[in-house]
């Protein structure tokens, strides 16, 4: 894995490209089985004090993009609560141990975002643990490919919308009751909102919903001094894909179709979340920022 120290690095060669031979996993997947391992910034992300004193709740913070956000935020000086599914306790513990060992205040809370009562208690618990709440980062999401609408069950359609859209709605609603002016919300959309794959009918639809939700909520809360933006990644090397997000033959070629000819790494998404959460981006709201390796958003 490359690190950030050389002055110039060719981004096309900075991280591995396809073909990949990582094993298939069952959802929700773990970073431990990713081959090659993903870079979440554990040894490559350096903070610059941009979130000192901030109090952040990061969903999906055990693994993938959420783990990279938690690492970056803690190294930028924020106190962080991460949340994850109970099955992901081991991945979450690694994040808490790593960042706690660096002196950061980090806690993990397990639960299912498809449950409204959990979402409300999560915001309460994060508020108590952090002594306030001024950043909400919604990274958690589920993705299960289906070749045809005939095979897409109501149960799957419902679960994908519950986890990706309802959970985000419930968390935003509860967080906004407590957030002071200057607070920031950062959601996670996807290139799938704009260029949906045939096999991701439900998932792509949730990501399009998140784009509209972000733009609408941003207008609604601008006068309160709260900003709402989203990051829209292209292919990123995480457990989401080999745990049912894509068929394994597509995981093999993951990233081949973007101009950089490789998937992004979670750590390459983190700087956008830091920027959108920080007060430096004070005039930016209602925007969707791509991190796609060269497939620009429309
Ligand atoms: P990931 O599997 O590492 O992270 C997703 C996390 O979502 C899981 O760790 C889990 O904790 C959480 N989650 C899922 N369902 C949940 C539920 N019901 N309750 C609580 N938590 C739940 O994968 P990732 O790729 O880092 O995904 C993070 C986000 O990035 C997702 O929203 C995904 O849609 C988005 N995204 C990923 C890619 C990609 O190529 N990896 C591309 C575009 C967008
Ligand atoms: Mg996970």
């Amino acid at each position: 894995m490359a690190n950030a120290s050389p002055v110039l690095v060719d981004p096309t060669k900075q991280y591995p490209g396809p073909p990949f031979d990582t094993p298939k996993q069952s959802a929700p997947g773990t970073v431990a089985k990713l081959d090659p391992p993903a870079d979440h910034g554990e040894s490559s992300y350096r903070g610059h004090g941009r979130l000192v004193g901030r109090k952040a709740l990061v969903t999906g913070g055990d693994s993938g993009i959420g783990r990279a956000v938690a690492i970056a935020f803690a190294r930028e000086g924020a106190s962080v609560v991460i949340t994850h599914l109970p099955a992901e306790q081991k991945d979450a513990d690694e994040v808490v141990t790593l960042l706690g060992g660096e002196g950061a205040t980090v806690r993990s809370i397990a639960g299912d975002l498809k449950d409204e009562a959990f979402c409300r208690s999560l915001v309460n618990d994060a508020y108590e643990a952090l002594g306030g709440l001024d950043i909400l980062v919604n990274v958690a999401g589920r993705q299960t490919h289906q070749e045809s609408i005939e095979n897409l069950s109501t149960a799957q359609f419902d679960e994908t919308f519950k986890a990706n859209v309802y959970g985000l709605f419930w968390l935003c609603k509860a967080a906004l009751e407590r957030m002071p002016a200057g607070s920031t919300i950062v959601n996670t959309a996807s290139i799938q909102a704009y260029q949906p794959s045939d096999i991701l009918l439900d998932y792509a639809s949730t990501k399009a919903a998140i784009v509209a939700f972000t733009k609408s909520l941003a207008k609604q809360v601008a006068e309160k001094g709260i900003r709402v933006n989203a990051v829209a990644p292209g292919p990123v090397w995480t457990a989401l894909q080999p745990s049912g997000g894509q068929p394994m033959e597509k995981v093999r070629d993951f990233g081949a179709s973007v101009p950089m000819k490789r998937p992004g790494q979670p750590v390459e998404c983190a700087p956008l979340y830091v920027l959108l959460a920080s007060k430096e981006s004070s005039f930016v709201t209602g925007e969707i920022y791509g991190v796609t390796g060269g497939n620009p958003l429309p």
Side-chain angles (χ1 to χ4, degrees), residues 40-43 45 61 66-76 80 95 98-99 102:
H40 310 94
E42 288 91 340
S43 56
Y45 190 91
R67 177 186 280 209
V69 170
I71 291 171
F73 278 28
R75 297 215 178 128
E76 297 289 354
V80 182
V95 176
L98 171 74
L99 298 175
E102 297 174 6

Side-chain angles (χ1 to χ4, degrees), residues 113-114 157-168 170:
L113 299 176
K114 300 197 296 300
F157 197 84
D158 204 39
E159 281 195 22
T160 307
F161 270 82
K162 279 272 157 57
N164 296 9
V165 183
Y166 281 70
L168 178 146
W170 291 324

Side-chain angles (χ1 to χ4, degrees), residues 11-295:
T12 65
K13 300 188 173 61
Q14 197 167 344
Y15 290 104
F20 294 109
D21 194 20
T22 195
K24 188 170 167 54
Q25 304 190 33
S26 51
T30 170
V31 299
K33 289 190 184 153
L34 275 175
D35 179 18
D39 185 356
H40 310 94
E42 288 91 340
S43 56
S44 59
Y45 190 91
R46 281 192 316 155
H48 296 88
R50 287 183 292 180
L51 300 174
V52 170
R54 299 290 299 273
K55 302 164 194 312
L57 170 59
V58 180
T59 72
D62 60 299
S63 60
I65 297 167
R67 177 186 280 209
V69 170
I71 291 171
F73 278 28
R75 297 215 178 128
E76 297 289 354
S79 301
V80 182
V81 167
I82 62 167
T83 185
H84 53 89
L85 288 162
E88 300 173 304
Q89 193 63 51
K90 191 166 166 289
D91 280 4
D93 288 347
E94 276 178 19
V95 176
V96 171
T97 303
L98 171 74
L99 298 175
E102 297 174 6
T105 302
V106 182
R107 261 200 65 193
S108 77
I109 300 176
D112 190 336
L113 299 176
K114 300 197 296 300
D115 176 355
E116 181 173 6
F118 171 70
C119 290
R120 293 203 68 82
S121 72
L122 171 64
V123 169
N124 281 339
D125 292 348
Y127 184 90
E128 295 299 325
L130 298 167
L133 182 67
D134 55 56
I135 302 175
L136 170 63
V137 185
N138 289 300
V139 187
R142 78 185 293 286
Q143 175 185 328
T144 308
H145 72 89
Q146 291 294 354
E147 308 305 314
S148 149
I149 192 168
E150 289 159 35
N151 304 332
L152 178 56
S153 66
T154 301
Q156 177 176 328
F157 197 84
D158 204 39
E159 281 195 22
T160 307
F161 270 82
K162 279 272 157 57
N164 296 9
V165 183
Y166 281 70
L168 178 146
F169 162 58
W170 291 324
L171 291 174
C172 287
K173 195 174 166 74
L176 282 166
E177 288 171 15
R178 297 176 174 275
M179 286 180 142
S183 299
T184 43
I185 296 176
V186 188
N187 295 326
T188 305
S190 168
I191 189 78
Q192 287 290 325
Y194 305 96
Q195 298 170 22
S197 302
D198 52 351
I199 60 171
L200 295 175
L201 184 57
D202 54 337
Y203 174 84
S205 303
T206 66
K207 293 297 171 178
I210 291 169
V211 168
F213 182 99
T214 300
K215 293 179 181 177
S216 174
L217 186 61
K219 287 183 182 167
Q220 204 181 106
V221 299
E223 278 182 327
K224 295 182 178 159
I226 297 175
R227 298 183 296 109
V228 188
N229 293 287
V231 175
V236 181
W237 189 243
T238 73
L240 192 70
Q241 309 301 344
S243 64
Q246 300 282 349
M248 288 312 284
E249 61 273 18
K250 292 214 172 175
V251 174
R252 192 177 174 77
D253 290 335
F254 202 57
S257 63
V258 306
M260 286 215 187
K261 304 275 184 259
R262 67 166 177 89
Q265 291 291 328
V267 70
E268 297 179 287
C269 304
L272 281 179
Y273 288 87
V274 171
L275 173 68
L276 294 172
S278 76
K279 59 179 185 286
E280 276 94 31
S281 60
S282 44
F283 203 49
V284 178
T285 195
E287 298 287 355
I288 317 296
Y289 275 60
V291 48
T292 63
N295 270 342

